[in-house]
Amino acid sequence: MIEVRAVELRLVSLPLVRPFRTSFGEESTKDAILLRVETAEGGHGWGECVASPTPRYSSEFNDAAWLTVREYLIPSLFRAGPIEPGGLAAVTSWIRGHPMAKAALEMAVLDADLRSEGRSLASFLGAVRDRVPCGVSVGIAGTVEALVEEVSGYVEAGYRRVKLKIEPGWDVGPVTTAREAFPEVPLSVDANAAYRLSDLPVFEALDPLDLMMIEQPLGHDDLVEHAELQRRIDTPVCLDESIRSAADARAALELGSCRIINIKQGRVGGLLEARRVHDVAVDRGAPVWCGGMLETGVGRAANLALAALPGFTLPGDTSASDRYFAEDLTEPFVLGDDGTMAVPQGSGLGVEPDPHRLAATTIRSERLEA
Ligand code: NPQ
Ligand code: MG
């Protein structure tokens, strides 16, 4: 049981080592809301919200998440009194939507509860490995030469899978060049919903390139068109944006909309729902992998714990801290020579943001008390 008495909200901004461009926009900083909950017993826990400054990846964005946490989630949590972390969803279920805001609070509550029990998040979730294979996501580059050079660096670092962001006008050409330059490297592409079914010729041209998967090619909320596309190509379709819950995962796998699922705890409303998505996929024989949202070390720790579950059989976007940040908020996560990263084993998330780094990166903060 855990009783939250106070919550600190904080918006941090970290410069990225290079701008990250996708089909929906470009970011040169990572701006994230962190939550720190304090318990009646004097414990604490951290959570990170994966929302962005603008509602491009999904409808959520940082200012909305801040308000949702402050005006609705926290007052509901304070009113609830002592709860089990698994009971948080019931306390906040009256609030429609806002999965990323809910997920951040659940992460903080789980971290606080597990810290007080001296148990790691990985162990609580059901981890079966202590290191996970890592992939990397590569933004849309200025030129094909720049793309090949960036990919070279990641291949040399040891990443086990390279995902190329694509958009109309940056697809068959650069991906074919990358495949020719790296014939042995497991490659995938991610369109972040930038195409229509009428772009079928693009996917037919990508089909012979031996890609591990094509991630979220079509509309963020369209399962039927993804099923149509999957029937027409051999490369597995992987869904990201379209899977917002375990129920969505069941629908997508039954419709044949995808053969692989990218699981992000924030997109599905938290780590516990993420585990349910995993369970649905395992039941139906579909591999899953852990997505990434350019998390700081706090969210990265949660991703590594999740990626240690048995169904996470493909390398995820759980890259090392230095892929994104010159200086992380926590001790940096580093890639081993074999392309794997260690799953944190300490209590809760197993990491703690550094107070000096927090002070240096915080743009805004607010404290709420019961
Ligand atoms: C994806 N992530 O799989 C996302 C989308 C994404 C690692 O490719 C700032 C914050 C910029 C979050 C850009 C990766 C972002 C972001 C893209 C998430 O679709
Ligand atoms: Mg994606």
Side-chain angles (χ1 to χ4, degrees), residues 189 197 199-208 211-215 217-218 225-238 256-259:
V189 296
L197 199 47
D199 294 311
L200 182 64
V202 171
F203 302 108
E204 288 172 336
L206 292 172
D207 216 12
L211 301 175
M212 285 179 84
M213 69 196 87
I214 299 177
E215 181 177 343
L218 309 179
E225 291 206 339
H226 278 105
E228 176 77 23
L229 175 63
Q230 182 68 93
R231 279 193 290 275
R232 290 168 182 258
I233 59 175
D234 293 326
T235 309
V237 170
C238 168
S257 312
C258 65
R259 295 187 194 138

Side-chain angles (χ1 to χ4, degrees), residues 20 22 24 27 137 163 165 190 192 215 240 264 292-293:
F20 192 54
T22 66
F24 58 77
E27 304 278 355
S137 177
K163 162 168 129 181
K165 292 292 192 175
D190 184 0
N192 287 110
E215 181 177 343
D240 173 354
K264 292 175 178 166
M293 294 292 278

Side-chain angles (χ1 to χ4, degrees), residues 138-217:
V138 184
I140 293 165
T143 63
V144 174
E145 294 70 39
L147 176 71
V148 170
E149 192 183 319
E150 189 178 345
V151 172
S152 286
Y154 297 136
V155 170
E156 274 160 36
Y159 284 105
R160 298 259 195 109
R161 182 228 63 195
V162 175
K163 162 168 129 181
L164 308 176
K165 292 292 192 175
I166 58 169
E167 68 181 359
W170 182 267
D171 43 44
V172 180
V175 178
T176 302
T177 303
R179 173 45 85 214
E180 285 164 357
F182 307 99
E184 306 296 328
V185 172
L187 284 182
S188 68
V189 296
D190 184 0
N192 287 110
Y195 294 87
R196 319 279 302 261
L197 199 47
S198 56
D199 294 311
L200 182 64
V202 171
F203 302 108
E204 288 172 336
L206 292 172
D207 216 12
L209 298 180
D210 192 29
L211 301 175
M212 285 179 84
M213 69 196 87
I214 299 177
E215 181 177 343
Q216 197 68 44

